Amino acid sequence: MANSALDPQVMANAVELACRAPSVHNSQPWHWVVEGAALKLFVEPHRVPHATDLSGREAIISCGAVLDHLRVAVAAAGWQAHVARFPNPNDMDHLATVDFSPLEYVTDAHRARADAILARRTDRLPFAAPPAWTAFEAVLRSTIDTDRATLHVLADSVRPQLAEASRLTESLRRYDSSYHAELHWWTAPYEVSDGVPYSALVSAAERDRVDIARRFPAEEHPDRRPEVAADQSTIVVLSTYDDSRRAALGCGEVLSDVLLEATMAGLATCTLTHMTELAASRDIVRALTGADDQPQLLIRIGLVPSISQVPPATPRRPLADVLEFRG
Ligand SMILES: Cc1cc2nc3c(=O)[nH]c(=O)nc-3n(C[C@H](O)[C@H](O)[C@H](O)COP(=O)(O)O)c2cc1C
């Protein structure tokens, strides 16, 4: 039975929790509208960092992540979300309309998944190798919707080629001033509700220990996590059958799934898209997956030694800026 009206406060709480979702440069390119019993999700075109996200795919991926987070948030509150994707063919910025019906029973797993939303961080420091990867991969594969995105786990043996592709991306962009201006803008210290704060960035010395990373402006930090001399994460790639908006939205939903599943397993994650933004490095990533579908993003997954600090939570835009009640 779809179409039950959620209490406005329950709706607001769920949207606020969902908006902890990751987004490219923490741009949070989404807008939610409540109309009657339905909740609508729109992408905000003016928040897309165009010099980075040349195709606009990453903004839609970010919205896919917030959509899946919303589903997780309402489930923990006792509601099932019924999602219609791209319900208006005349408005492709209208990404989804969500209706709700009461959930029969809220399990501990529903609550744990919602808790993982708050615990998750993008961690740019080096990771130790993820323990018991085979078991974790089996769990991961059982939860993700392969109609939306396919998951490739890259072998450790291809790591040098991947690191080379990561360096290639940075070299190709060395003189791209629009890209660098944008990176500086999204990491500027005066922004309080969006962008990547200094605390989430790495110092030059820390950067040397992670061979696959987007090169953000380096920050001054005392050397953190010195016990991990070099990153030993496992790298997974999410790919889609094509580069359509629908594919990007689905990929974002699967990204959310993977990040929350990893968080629940006690693993740290870092989403990476610098290599899928440029054709040359994207081709290398595609070849390394051994498939001919479209690589959308990579995720470093690993373990943070227990004595090590995790990065603080990044800021979010105020709820009033992202959620609108109409009528
Ligand atoms: C589509 C997408 C692309 C991203 N690309 C990168 C990237 O290339 N490098 C990186 O370090 N973080 C990347 N991130 C992580 C965001 O910067 C991060 O989600 C944002 O700053 C909010 O921080 P949080 O994830 O810790 O909440 C990406 C996230 C998304 C959803």
Side-chain angles (χ1 to χ4, degrees):
M1 182 201 67
N3 244 354
S4 299
L6 248 72
D7 177 84
Q9 192 56 53
V10 174
M11 187 86 91
N13 291 347
V15 169
E16 188 162 32
L17 183 57
C19 290
R20 293 302 316 161
S23 60
V24 54
H25 295 354
N26 200 18
S27 53
Q28 305 159 59
W30 45 65
H31 188 70
W32 296 96
V33 175
V34 179
E35 249 177 22
L39 177 63
K40 299 179 176 179
L41 172 64
F42 296 83
V43 62
E44 287 238 39
H46 70 274
R47 294 194 70 83
V48 178
H50 286 290
T52 306
D53 182 11
L54 299 161
S55 64
R57 289 195 307 267
E58 292 175 58
I60 308 285
I61 292 173
S62 306
C63 289
V66 84
L67 178 61
D68 185 68
H69 270 44
L70 186 275
R71 195 169 24 218
V72 172
V74 294
W79 295 87
Q80 187 175 356
H82 306 273
V83 181
R85 294 168 186 81
F86 299 98
N88 181 355
N90 294 321
D91 181 3
M92 292 303 275
D93 288 347
H94 181 178
L95 304 180
T97 292
V98 189
D99 291 309
F100 303 94
S101 66
L103 198 63
E104 212 170 304
Y105 186 73
V106 180
T107 66
D108 287 347
H110 286 123
R111 292 194 195 90
R113 215 171 179 79
D115 289 346
I117 290 180
L118 291 176
R120 184 205 61 80
R121 304 274 188 275
T122 297
D123 188 330
R124 297 182 178 84
L125 290 166
F127 301 152
W133 175 264
T134 311
F136 174 67
E137 186 183 329
V139 173
L140 209 52
R141 289 197 183 279
S142 72
T143 60
I144 66 170
D145 181 346
T146 49
D147 285 342
R148 298 197 193 291
T150 48
L151 179 131
H152 304 278
V153 180
L154 298 184
D156 285 346
S157 56
V158 307
R159 183 91 186 207
Q161 288 155 273
L162 205 53
E164 189 54 45
S166 185
R167 284 191 291 274
L168 169 71
T169 314
E170 297 303 340
S171 328
L172 291 174
R173 274 182 154 161
R174 194 168 295 155
Y175 301 105
D176 182 343
S177 40
S178 313
Y179 172 72
H180 288 286
E182 196 168 81
L183 273 192
H184 277 273
W185 195 85
W186 284 103
T187 53
Y190 47 79
E191 280 298 338
V192 290
S193 65
D194 57 12
V196 187
Y198 283 9
S199 55
L201 296 175
V202 293
S203 68
E206 290 163 341
R207 189 160 63 196
D208 287 347
R209 292 187 279 131
V210 184
D211 54 353
I212 297 158
R214 187 193 294 278
R215 206 179 166 93
F216 283 99
E219 291 312 322
E220 295 294 320
H221 287 296
D223 206 24
R224 292 167 298 178
R225 216 170 284 163
E227 62 277 24
V228 187
D231 184 53
Q232 297 155 48
S233 59
T234 293
I235 310 258
V236 305
V237 181
L238 292 186
S239 303
T240 54
Y241 297 113
D242 59 39
D243 275 336
S244 63
R245 287 196 152 207
R246 187 174 286 275
L249 189 72
C251 180
E253 293 177 67
V254 174
L255 169 65
S256 160
D257 230 353
V258 173
L259 298 180
L260 295 181
E261 206 58 56
T263 307
M264 287 195 292
L267 298 172
T269 54
C270 183
T271 306
L272 295 167
T273 42
H274 61 301
M275 279 184 277
T276 49
E277 285 157 7
L278 300 187
S281 43
R282 196 182 193 202
D283 286 347
I284 297 174
V285 174
R286 186 184 293 106
L288 294 179
T289 63
D292 59 3
D293 45 13
Q294 307 300 332
Q296 299 295 346
L297 54 89
L298 294 84
I299 313 171
R300 280 198 305 123
I301 304 179
L303 188 71
V304 172
S306 57
I307 48 164
S308 179
Q309 287 173 341
V310 292
T314 51
R316 290 296 182 271
R317 299 162 66 202
L319 188 62
D321 288 4
V322 293
L323 175 63
E324 189 187 330
F325 284 89
R326 273 189 204 155

